[in-house]
Amino acid sequence: MSRSSCANSAAIHSTALSTCLPRPGDHVHPYACLLASTRLKGLPPPLTVSIADPLHDEANAYVAKLQAAAVPVQTVEMHTPAGVDANARRRSSTDANKFAVMATFVASVSNDAA
């Protein structure tokens, strides 16, 4: 990712946050910043999907906090290790097994809601 696209992405993210969370204190509210939450026990089991992006480390930290609170978590990582060519990354991102895990999770949530 180029510096200009990173800067543009940061500007878009900042604008979106300011629109959705207008007060400065809102940005650290547990609903906006899941890592800030201290009330994790009893949450329904989530599915976390992460990719190799700036939020990957935060996703992993959130999963660790959920697991420490005895919340069962399913995870799907949609990336390959560094150094793998672009075609391998694309194949990894569209791995049918990963989508099957997500579809099964969504179906189970839908069944629970019915």
Side-chain angles (χ1 to χ4, degrees), residues 26 28-39:
D26 291 345
V28 294
H29 189 282
Y31 293 160
C33 180
L34 297 174
L35 283 174
S37 180
T38 57
R39 298 177 291 161

Side-chain angles (χ1 to χ4, degrees), residues 5-109:
S5 63
C6 283
N8 189 35
S9 178
I12 291 169
H13 182 70
S14 178
T15 301
L17 277 178
S18 296
T19 301
C20 297
L21 307 165
R23 295 175 296 181
D26 291 345
H27 293 83
V28 294
H29 189 282
Y31 293 160
C33 180
L34 297 174
L35 283 174
S37 180
T38 57
R39 298 177 291 161
L40 299 174
K41 286 196 183 287
L43 286 178
L47 169 68
T48 63
V49 180
S50 63
I51 59 173
D53 70 358
L55 297 178
H56 183 256
D57 292 339
E58 285 82 356
N60 287 341
Y62 182 59
V63 167
K65 281 185 76 168
L66 288 166
Q67 290 171 334
V71 176
V73 182
Q74 288 184 329
T75 61
V76 175
E77 293 196 6
M78 302 295 284
H79 66 279
T80 55
V84 175
D85 71 15
N87 288 329
R89 285 187 190 279
R90 188 171 31 261
R91 284 190 302 274
S92 177
S93 303
T94 58
D95 183 354
N97 292 332
K98 293 174 183 178
F99 287 108
V101 169
M102 290 185 271
T104 300
F105 178 84
V106 170
S108 73
V109 171

